[in-house]
Amino acid sequence: DGMLFYLAVYKEDVQDYWAEVPALEGCYSVGNSVSETLNNSRALIKIHVDDLRADCPHYTVVQKSLSALKALPQYKGAAWHAVKVDVS
């Protein structure tokens, strides 16, 4: 079980990718493939939420719907993916 996080994934060049997690300001990941980028994102999301909860124990992740995210101009050109992460 876990929470579904949406990721905006971008291709940097021939084999480099990076992803942004819109629900977590400042949470980014990189990888040599989409798969590697998504796997790296899972670990970074967990660390990011744990750090936020260390400062604020009752922190709750708030995420916009995928359709709302796709409509935002700052994510134009992103390929959308979702990863499930246990942040309990």
Side-chain angles (χ1 to χ4, degrees), residues 14-52:
V14 175
Q15 63 179 9
D16 295 323
Y17 296 83
W18 67 277
E20 177 179 356
V21 184
L24 300 170
E25 186 176 341
C27 188
Y28 300 92
S29 175
V30 296
N32 291 322
S33 65
V34 171
S35 178
E36 181 180 339
T37 303
L38 297 177
N39 284 333
N40 292 343
S41 295
R42 285 183 186 91
L44 291 172
I45 288 167
K46 176 75 172 135
I47 290 167
H48 200 93
V49 172
D50 287 348
D51 287 348
L52 289 167

